[in-house]
Amino acid sequence: MLRIGEMNDLVAERRLDFGFYLSCGDEEVLLPNKYAPKNLTLGDRIQVFVYTDSEDRPVATTLKPKAMVGDYALLRVKDVTDFGTFFDWGLEKDLLVPLNQQRHPMAVGQRHVVRLCLDTETRRVYGTTRISRSCEKNPKDLMVGQEVRLLIYNITKLGFQAVINQRHEGMLYATETFERLAIGDEKTGYVTQIRPDGKIDLSLKKPGHASISISMERMVRSLEAAGGFLPCTDKTPPEEIYRLFSMSKKEFKRAAGGLLKAKTIDMTPEGLRLKSGEN
Protein backbone atom coordinates (compact mmCIF):
# COMPACT_ATOMS: atom_id res chain seq x y z
CA MET A 1 0.00 0.00 0.00
CA LEU A 2 1.20 3.49 -0.82
CA ARG A 3 2.43 5.50 2.17
CA ILE A 4 1.06 9.00 1.62
CA GLY A 5 3.28 11.77 2.95
CA GLU A 6 6.32 9.49 3.09
CA MET A 7 9.10 8.14 0.88
CA ASN A 8 8.14 4.99 -1.05
CA ASP A 9 10.33 2.42 -2.78
CA LEU A 10 8.38 1.66 -5.98
CA VAL A 11 8.79 -0.14 -9.30
CA ALA A 12 8.27 1.48 -12.73
CA GLU A 13 5.49 -0.69 -14.18
CA ARG A 14 3.99 1.29 -17.08
CA ARG A 15 5.02 4.22 -19.23
CA LEU A 16 2.67 6.69 -20.89
CA ASP A 17 3.26 9.93 -22.78
CA PHE A 18 2.92 11.98 -19.59
CA GLY A 19 4.92 9.84 -17.19
CA PHE A 20 5.50 6.52 -15.45
CA TYR A 21 3.08 4.56 -13.32
CA LEU A 22 4.91 3.21 -10.31
CA SER A 23 3.68 0.19 -8.35
CA CYS A 24 4.00 -1.14 -4.81
CA GLY A 25 2.22 -4.36 -5.70
CA ASP A 26 -1.40 -3.55 -4.86
CA GLU A 27 -1.55 0.12 -5.84
CA GLU A 28 0.06 2.40 -8.40
CA VAL A 29 0.84 6.10 -8.62
CA LEU A 30 1.83 8.47 -11.41
CA LEU A 31 5.33 9.92 -11.58
CA PRO A 32 5.05 12.83 -14.08
CA ASN A 33 7.75 13.09 -16.72
CA LYS A 34 9.17 16.30 -15.21
CA TYR A 35 10.16 14.35 -12.07
CA ALA A 36 11.33 11.14 -13.76
CA PRO A 37 15.10 10.56 -14.13
CA LYS A 38 16.15 10.46 -17.78
CA ASN A 39 17.57 6.95 -17.39
CA LEU A 40 14.47 5.47 -15.70
CA THR A 41 13.27 2.31 -17.47
CA LEU A 42 10.50 -0.20 -16.83
CA GLY A 43 11.34 -2.58 -14.00
CA ASP A 44 13.58 -0.09 -12.21
CA ARG A 45 13.06 0.61 -8.51
CA ILE A 46 12.96 4.26 -7.48
CA GLN A 47 12.59 6.21 -4.24
CA VAL A 48 9.82 8.82 -4.49
CA PHE A 49 7.74 10.98 -2.18
CA VAL A 50 3.99 10.37 -2.51
CA TYR A 51 1.29 12.93 -1.69
CA THR A 52 -1.99 14.03 -3.28
CA ASP A 53 -2.59 16.59 -6.01
CA SER A 54 -5.26 19.32 -6.12
CA GLU A 55 -7.88 16.67 -6.99
CA ASP A 56 -6.83 14.39 -4.11
CA ARG A 57 -5.21 11.86 -6.42
CA PRO A 58 -1.93 10.26 -5.28
CA VAL A 59 1.07 11.59 -7.19
CA ALA A 60 4.79 10.82 -6.91
CA THR A 61 7.75 13.17 -7.08
CA THR A 62 11.51 12.89 -6.82
CA LEU A 63 11.60 16.29 -5.12
CA LYS A 64 12.50 15.99 -1.44
CA PRO A 65 10.10 17.82 0.91
CA LYS A 66 11.41 19.70 3.93
CA ALA A 67 9.40 17.37 6.17
CA MET A 68 7.21 14.27 5.97
CA VAL A 69 4.16 13.05 7.85
CA GLY A 70 4.95 12.84 11.56
CA ASP A 71 7.81 15.35 11.35
CA TYR A 72 8.08 18.74 13.04
CA ALA A 73 9.84 21.40 10.94
CA LEU A 74 10.35 25.14 10.65
CA LEU A 75 8.46 26.30 7.53
CA ARG A 76 7.79 29.68 5.88
CA VAL A 77 4.31 31.12 5.23
CA LYS A 78 3.62 31.65 1.51
CA ASP A 79 -0.04 32.68 1.50
CA VAL A 80 -2.84 33.39 3.97
CA THR A 81 -6.51 32.77 3.14
CA ASP A 82 -9.77 32.86 5.09
CA PHE A 83 -9.73 29.05 5.47
CA GLY A 84 -6.07 28.49 6.31
CA THR A 85 -2.42 29.28 5.70
CA PHE A 86 -0.16 27.80 3.02
CA PHE A 87 3.45 26.92 3.84
CA ASP A 88 6.44 26.20 1.61
CA TRP A 89 7.53 22.62 2.27
CA GLY A 90 9.69 22.21 -0.83
CA LEU A 91 7.05 20.93 -3.28
CA GLU A 92 5.02 22.62 -6.02
CA LYS A 93 1.80 22.15 -4.05
CA ASP A 94 2.07 24.12 -0.80
CA LEU A 95 1.18 22.64 2.59
CA LEU A 96 -2.11 23.83 4.08
CA VAL A 97 -2.45 24.52 7.79
CA PRO A 98 -6.25 24.81 8.22
CA LEU A 99 -7.60 27.65 10.32
CA ASN A 100 -8.67 25.26 13.09
CA GLN A 101 -5.10 23.93 13.30
CA GLN A 102 -3.52 27.34 14.01
CA ARG A 103 -2.59 28.64 17.44
CA HIS A 104 -2.70 32.29 16.35
CA PRO A 105 -2.99 34.44 13.18
CA MET A 106 -0.14 34.27 10.67
CA ALA A 107 1.39 36.54 8.04
CA VAL A 108 3.27 35.95 4.79
CA GLY A 109 6.99 35.54 5.34
CA GLN A 110 6.72 34.37 8.95
CA ARG A 111 8.29 31.09 9.99
CA HIS A 112 6.55 28.65 12.29
CA VAL A 113 7.22 25.13 13.53
CA VAL A 114 4.65 22.88 11.87
CA ARG A 115 3.83 19.23 12.38
CA LEU A 116 2.82 17.33 9.24
CA CYS A 117 -0.26 15.13 9.62
CA LEU A 118 -2.29 12.77 7.42
CA ASP A 119 -6.07 12.80 7.10
CA THR A 120 -6.67 9.07 6.74
CA GLU A 121 -10.09 9.55 5.14
CA THR A 122 -9.10 11.97 2.36
CA ARG A 123 -5.41 10.93 2.32
CA ARG A 124 -4.46 14.60 2.34
CA VAL A 125 -1.30 15.82 4.04
CA TYR A 126 -1.93 18.89 6.18
CA GLY A 127 -0.10 20.79 8.89
CA THR A 128 -0.78 21.96 12.42
CA THR A 129 0.91 24.55 14.61
CA ARG A 130 -0.90 23.25 17.69
CA ILE A 131 2.33 21.57 18.70
CA SER A 132 1.53 20.78 22.33
CA ARG A 133 -1.67 19.02 21.32
CA SER A 134 0.12 16.93 18.69
CA CYS A 135 2.98 15.69 20.90
CA GLU A 136 2.90 12.32 22.63
CA LYS A 137 1.91 12.61 26.28
CA ASN A 138 3.50 9.48 27.73
CA PRO A 139 7.30 9.95 27.90
CA LYS A 140 8.01 6.33 28.81
CA ASP A 141 10.99 6.26 26.42
CA LEU A 142 12.74 9.12 28.26
CA MET A 143 14.70 9.22 31.52
CA VAL A 144 16.31 11.92 33.66
CA GLY A 145 19.79 12.79 32.41
CA GLN A 146 19.13 11.50 28.89
CA GLU A 147 20.58 13.43 25.97
CA VAL A 148 17.85 14.48 23.52
CA ARG A 149 17.34 16.46 20.31
CA LEU A 150 15.37 19.69 20.74
CA LEU A 151 13.47 21.90 18.30
CA ILE A 152 12.41 25.26 19.78
CA TYR A 153 8.82 25.98 18.76
CA ASN A 154 7.57 28.71 21.11
CA ILE A 155 8.91 31.35 23.49
CA THR A 156 7.00 32.37 26.62
CA LYS A 157 7.76 34.41 29.73
CA LEU A 158 8.54 31.13 31.47
CA GLY A 159 11.02 29.95 28.88
CA PHE A 160 11.40 28.03 25.63
CA GLN A 161 9.03 25.26 24.62
CA ALA A 162 10.70 22.53 22.58
CA VAL A 163 9.83 19.36 20.72
CA ILE A 164 11.91 16.47 22.10
CA ASN A 165 13.19 13.84 19.67
CA GLN A 166 10.36 14.70 17.24
CA ARG A 167 7.89 13.14 19.71
CA HIS A 168 7.44 14.85 23.06
CA GLU A 169 7.18 18.37 24.45
CA GLY A 170 9.35 19.99 27.13
CA MET A 171 10.40 23.29 28.66
CA LEU A 172 13.75 25.07 28.88
CA TYR A 173 13.29 27.61 31.68
CA ALA A 174 14.48 31.14 30.92
CA THR A 175 16.09 31.45 34.36
CA GLU A 176 18.31 28.45 33.59
CA THR A 177 19.03 29.06 29.91
CA PHE A 178 21.89 31.38 29.06
CA GLU A 179 21.85 31.24 25.27
CA ARG A 180 19.91 33.36 22.84
CA LEU A 181 17.40 31.01 21.30
CA ALA A 182 14.91 31.55 18.48
CA ILE A 183 11.96 29.59 17.14
CA GLY A 184 13.26 26.88 14.85
CA ASP A 185 16.63 26.48 16.61
CA GLU A 186 17.77 22.88 16.93
CA LYS A 187 19.81 22.02 20.01
CA THR A 188 21.17 19.12 21.99
CA GLY A 189 19.59 19.10 25.43
CA TYR A 190 19.14 16.96 28.53
CA VAL A 191 16.11 15.80 30.50
CA THR A 192 16.30 17.20 34.05
CA GLN A 193 12.88 16.16 35.37
CA ILE A 194 9.82 14.16 34.33
CA ARG A 195 6.88 15.30 36.42
CA PRO A 196 4.01 13.04 37.58
CA ASP A 197 1.70 14.69 35.02
CA GLY A 198 4.16 13.81 32.22
CA LYS A 199 5.56 17.33 31.75
CA ILE A 200 9.27 17.41 31.00
CA ASP A 201 11.90 19.89 32.20
CA LEU A 202 14.97 20.38 30.05
CA SER A 203 18.45 21.90 30.15
CA LEU A 204 21.10 22.69 27.54
CA LYS A 205 23.84 21.70 30.00
CA LYS A 206 25.02 18.22 30.76
CA PRO A 207 24.05 17.22 34.28
CA GLY A 208 26.57 16.88 37.09
CA HIS A 209 30.34 17.06 36.73
CA ALA A 210 30.28 17.26 32.93
CA SER A 211 28.48 20.61 33.14
CA ILE A 212 31.08 21.98 35.58
CA SER A 213 33.94 20.91 33.30
CA ILE A 214 32.42 22.69 30.32
CA SER A 215 31.87 25.86 32.37
CA MET A 216 35.45 25.73 33.68
CA GLU A 217 36.79 25.50 30.13
CA ARG A 218 34.59 28.42 29.06
CA MET A 219 35.85 30.54 31.96
CA VAL A 220 39.49 29.85 31.08
CA ARG A 221 38.90 30.75 27.42
CA SER A 222 37.21 34.01 28.46
CA LEU A 223 40.14 34.89 30.72
CA GLU A 224 42.65 34.06 27.99
CA ALA A 225 40.78 36.27 25.51
CA ALA A 226 40.87 39.12 28.07
CA GLY A 227 44.62 38.84 28.63
CA GLY A 228 44.39 36.74 31.78
CA PHE A 229 42.23 38.97 33.98
CA LEU A 230 38.57 39.88 34.32
CA PRO A 231 37.06 42.16 37.00
CA CYS A 232 34.55 39.57 38.17
CA THR A 233 33.97 38.17 41.68
CA ASP A 234 31.22 36.41 43.61
CA LYS A 235 29.75 39.88 44.28
CA THR A 236 29.42 40.72 40.56
CA PRO A 237 25.78 41.10 39.39
CA PRO A 238 24.35 38.08 37.51
CA GLU A 239 23.84 40.18 34.35
CA GLU A 240 27.55 41.04 34.18
CA ILE A 241 28.56 37.43 34.82
CA TYR A 242 26.36 36.34 31.95
CA ARG A 243 27.85 39.03 29.68
CA LEU A 244 31.40 37.90 30.46
CA PHE A 245 30.99 34.13 30.64
CA SER A 246 27.52 33.23 29.24
CA MET A 247 26.57 31.36 32.41
CA SER A 248 24.44 31.84 35.50
CA LYS A 249 25.91 33.15 38.75
CA LYS A 250 25.41 29.71 40.32
CA GLU A 251 27.34 28.07 37.50
CA PHE A 252 30.01 30.80 37.74
CA LYS A 253 30.61 30.00 41.41
CA ARG A 254 30.85 26.27 40.68
CA ALA A 255 33.29 26.81 37.80
CA ALA A 256 35.41 29.31 39.70
CA GLY A 257 35.51 26.93 42.67
CA GLY A 258 36.71 24.13 40.42
CA LEU A 259 39.44 26.28 38.90
CA LEU A 260 40.56 27.50 42.31
CA LYS A 261 40.79 23.92 43.54
CA ALA A 262 42.79 23.03 40.44
CA LYS A 263 45.05 26.04 41.12
CA THR A 264 44.34 27.37 37.63
CA ILE A 265 43.16 30.83 38.75
CA ASP A 266 43.42 33.26 41.62
CA MET A 267 40.41 35.18 42.93
CA THR A 268 41.17 38.59 44.38
CA PRO A 269 38.87 41.40 45.53
CA GLU A 270 39.46 42.94 42.09
CA GLY A 271 38.59 39.88 40.00
CA LEU A 272 39.76 36.60 38.47
CA ARG A 273 43.29 36.10 37.20
CA LEU A 274 44.83 33.16 35.38
CA LYS A 275 47.89 31.88 37.18
CA SER A 276 51.28 32.33 35.53
CA GLY A 277 51.75 29.92 32.71
CA GLU A 278 47.99 29.55 32.06
CA ASN A 279 47.70 32.63 29.80
Side-chain angles (χ1 to χ4, degrees):
M1 184 175 180
L2 292 174
R3 301 190 308 276
I4 306 297
E6 301 179 38
M7 298 300 297
N8 289 251
D9 184 29
L10 305 178
V11 177
E13 291 282 1
R14 296 189 291 135
R15 184 170 189 175
L16 302 175
D17 291 341
F18 45 83
F20 287 82
Y21 273 98
L22 311 179
S23 171
C24 61
D26 57 354
E27 196 173 0
E28 62 180 15
V29 60
L30 175 66
L31 175 67
N33 280 327
K34 61 182 176 180
Y35 301 130
K38 292 182 179 179
N39 60 349
L40 183 65
T41 59
L42 297 182
D44 287 350
R45 301 193 72 90
I46 184 171
Q47 284 277 329
V48 293
F49 181 76
V50 178
Y51 64 123
T52 54
D53 62 16
S54 57
E55 298 181 11
D56 292 337
R57 298 172 301 188
V59 63
T61 177
T62 50
L63 297 176
K64 297 295 177 65
K66 297 176 181 178
M68 293 183 281
V69 167
D71 292 343
Y72 296 83
L74 183 69
L75 303 178
R76 181 178 60 85
V77 175
K78 287 189 66 177
D79 190 25
V80 177
T81 71
D82 57 0
F83 58 86
T85 299
F86 288 94
F87 282 79
D88 174 15
W89 62 321
L91 303 179
E92 288 188 7
K93 180 187 176 185
D94 297 326
L95 177 73
L96 174 65
V97 175
L99 201 58
N100 64 1
Q101 293 295 329
Q102 299 178 22
R103 291 178 56 247
H104 47 66
M106 302 175 181
V108 173
Q110 290 180 343
R111 294 179 184 272
H112 298 271
V113 172
V114 179
R115 184 179 193 252
L116 274 69
C117 308
L118 178 66
D119 185 322
T120 54
E121 291 186 6
T122 65
R123 304 181 83 182
R124 295 175 186 171
V125 178
Y126 68 95
T128 180
T129 57
R130 295 184 177 274
I131 304 302
S132 180
R133 182 183 297 178
S134 69
C135 287
E136 296 182 22
K137 304 305 179 186
N138 184 5
K140 60 183 179 180
D141 58 324
L142 298 177
M143 63 181 65
V144 173
Q146 181 176 337
E147 181 179 303
V148 290
R149 294 176 292 111
L150 304 179
L151 172 63
I152 306 301
Y153 79 85
N154 190 40
I155 301 174
T156 71
K157 291 182 179 180
L158 195 60
F160 306 89
Q161 292 176 287
V163 176
I164 305 168
N165 290 346
Q166 291 281 312
R167 294 183 64 183
H168 306 291
E169 175 197 22
M171 173 69 77
L172 289 162
Y173 291 96
T175 54
E176 301 172 6
T177 303
F178 298 93
E179 291 187 28
R180 292 184 177 180
L181 299 177
I183 292 174
D185 283 354
E186 298 183 54
K187 293 286 183 178
T188 296
Y190 303 87
V191 176
T192 60
Q193 184 175 194
I194 301 175
R195 301 177 183 271
D197 60 2
K199 291 183 179 179
I200 303 167
D201 295 345
L202 302 165
S203 174
L204 295 181
K205 296 182 299 184
K206 288 185 178 181
H209 181 73
S211 173
I212 300 174
S213 300
I214 293 171
S215 296
M216 288 168 60
E217 292 175 8
R218 183 185 300 168
M219 185 172 286
V220 169
R221 289 197 300 269
S222 296
L223 284 164
E224 289 174 341
F229 175 81
L230 281 170
C232 192
T233 70
D234 56 6
K235 296 182 180 180
T236 301
E239 298 78 10
E240 181 66 9
I241 290 174
Y242 174 70
R243 187 185 70 82
L244 293 172
F245 300 108
S246 297
M247 65 180 72
S248 67
K249 189 163 185 175
K250 179 180 178 181
E251 191 73 5
F252 164 80
K253 290 181 178 180
R254 296 171 67 201
L259 291 174
L260 285 167
K261 186 175 181 180
K263 299 181 179 180
T264 302
I265 65 170
D266 285 321
M267 180 179 284
T268 69
E270 290 74 34
L272 298 180
R273 187 182 302 278
L274 277 176
K275 285 194 171 184
S276 179
E278 297 293 336
N279 58 336

